[in-house]
Every structure is written in structure tokens, then in C-alpha cells.
Amino acid sequence: MQQVMTGLVVCVLVLAAASAFGVLQRRRSGRVRVRGRDDGKRLDAGELGAELGERATLVQFSSAFCAPCRATRRVLGEVAGMVPGVTHVEIDAEAHLDLVRRLDILKTPTVLVLDADGRVVRRATGQPRKADVIAALGEAV
């Protein structure tokens, strides 16, 4: 009886810990935030394969089998269409591994918000909300 109770307590603790971890990961995913290690990193048109936006550029790193990447593409395209001078560039992470390593891209989708000079000012990992992308552009423009 003692072993059954101990096993039950261990199971409950493991489930509680896993649930807490899942909730934290879900809340953090897609949030646009400033990361200190992006300070000073810049991208130019040659690295992106497209021209920088006049005011800002939304750079999306995607992969072929990434379902949230499609929704992110739609959101960023809508924002770029709404805000004058903002361009959306999508980069295949698998085809640009050198850039992925240099920028510490760990999962897709990852969105970088660049200012007019190509400096990384914000980063989001996961599918960002439209309102968060618009707010992040406020710092870039």
C-alpha cells in the first residue's frame, strides 16, 4: 500500500511539473521581445536576398514543414501591407544555415524586426500576434 501511494504522489508531481513547464512555454512563444545578444547585429540586402524596407523590415525564418510559419507569413504580410515603408522577407532556414547560426535562430518561425539600417531591434520566436508585431515596429521606425 505504501508503494502505491508513493508511486501516485510521484506521478502527480511529474504531471504538475510538466503542466507548469507547458504553460510557461506556451505563454512565451510568439512574444516579441528585445534580446541583448542581438545588439549590434545587422543584415543587409545581400544576406536577405531582398531589399531592406524603407522604414523597417520583418524577417521571417521558416522551414518547409512548419505549420505556424504559414500563419506567421500571413500576419507579417498583412502588417507589411498596412504600414508604409515596411517590407516582409521570408528566409528558408534550411537553405541559409550560416545565417541561422550567426543569428542564433533556434526554431521556426523566428521573426526579426530590423530598422531601416538593417539593425535587429526585436525578435519573436513562435507565431507572433499582429498587435505585437505592430507594437515592435514602433521601435524600428
Side-chain angles (χ1 to χ4, degrees):
M1 184 69 166
Q2 180 74 13
Q3 289 178 333
V4 171
M5 290 302 290
T6 303
L8 183 60
V9 169
V10 169
C11 285
V12 168
L13 289 175
V14 168
L15 285 173
S19 296
F21 179 76
V23 167
L24 285 173
Q25 283 298 100
R26 186 173 182 102
R27 290 190 72 190
R28 290 184 63 200
S29 182
R31 289 183 40 200
V32 179
R33 56 192 173 276
V34 175
R35 293 188 16 176
R37 66 182 184 187
D38 287 333
D39 288 342
K41 290 187 180 175
R42 292 181 186 267
L43 296 171
D44 60 27
E47 293 171 309
L48 294 177
E51 290 298 316
L52 290 171
E54 183 180 308
R55 297 175 66 198
T57 305
L58 301 170
V59 180
Q60 175 185 349
F61 285 87
S62 300
S63 55
F65 299 104
C66 169
C69 293
R70 290 188 288 277
T72 299
R73 180 183 310 120
R74 181 184 49 77
V75 167
L76 298 181
E78 289 175 7
V79 171
M82 287 173 26
V83 183
V86 174
T87 302
H88 170 227
V89 176
E90 188 170 1
I91 296 176
D92 179 10
E94 296 170 28
H96 296 86
L97 291 177
D98 55 330
L99 193 56
V100 166
R101 288 183 189 111
R102 184 169 72 86
L103 296 170
D104 300 317
I105 306 297
L106 302 177
K107 71 182 230 179
T108 56
T110 293
V111 177
L112 304 178
V113 179
L114 310 180
D115 63 12
D117 296 324
R119 190 181 77 231
V120 178
V121 294
R122 293 276 183 168
R123 169 187 290 244
T125 303
Q127 182 181 339
R129 296 179 311 176
K130 188 185 236 181
D132 290 336
V133 174
I134 293 170
L137 281 173
E139 184 173 331
V141 294

